[in-house]
Amino acid sequence: MSVDLFAGIPVRDRAVSMAWYERFFGGPPAFLPNDVEAVWEVAEHRFVYIEVRPSAAGHALNTLFAEDFDGRLAGIAGRGLEPVEVETYDNGVRKAIFRDPDGNEIGLGGAPAAGQHR
């Protein structure tokens, strides 16, 4: 079964949010389908998009699981964004939590660090 994914994040201001997500993802959107959305392709057939929906802004919860957790986290930090929290679960899986300008949560997950057990 082939599945494409579009994960949506409601925001108040497209320009403000686009600037933040460009820093988070490391580049501009893959496409702008209209004047209220911006879409980033995070992996083949897997997209994260922002949409101007002020009444729903700040309530999204999304987590992306990255193969190179440490490298991605360092890249994001190099672009000026720091997580508000970093967690390590009992099984060693790690998660860095970021909040966009509206308070939406976008997490970056990763496998246990070298030497940690699953």
Side-chain angles (χ1 to χ4, degrees):
M1 175 166 120
S2 176
V3 176
D4 292 357
L5 173 69
F6 282 84
I9 300 173
V11 299
R12 288 183 181 85
D13 183 298
R14 187 174 87 156
V16 168
S17 294
M18 272 181 49
W20 192 90
Y21 281 96
E22 285 177 357
R23 290 169 59 201
F24 183 82
F25 290 121
F31 60 96
L32 302 170
N34 53 50
D35 62 349
V36 297
E37 295 177 295
V39 182
W40 285 264
E41 186 172 16
V42 296
E44 187 174 12
H45 303 290
R46 289 158 186 90
F47 303 85
V48 173
Y49 70 97
I50 60 171
E51 180 178 1
V52 177
R53 297 182 70 195
S55 64
H59 298 284
L61 299 169
N62 290 287
T63 300
L64 306 170
F65 203 87
E67 183 177 354
D68 181 14
F69 177 81
D70 295 314
R72 294 270 182 136
L73 200 54
I76 294 168
R79 294 186 294 275
L81 298 179
E82 294 291 335
V84 295
E85 186 177 346
V86 178
E87 304 172 333
T88 301
Y89 299 107
D90 291 341
N91 63 357
V93 170
R94 299 168 291 162
K95 181 179 179 184
I97 299 170
F98 294 83
R99 295 215 182 272
D100 75 6
D102 291 305
N104 293 301
E105 179 181 306
I106 186 159
L108 180 67
Q116 288 188 333
H117 300 286
R118 287 186 175 216

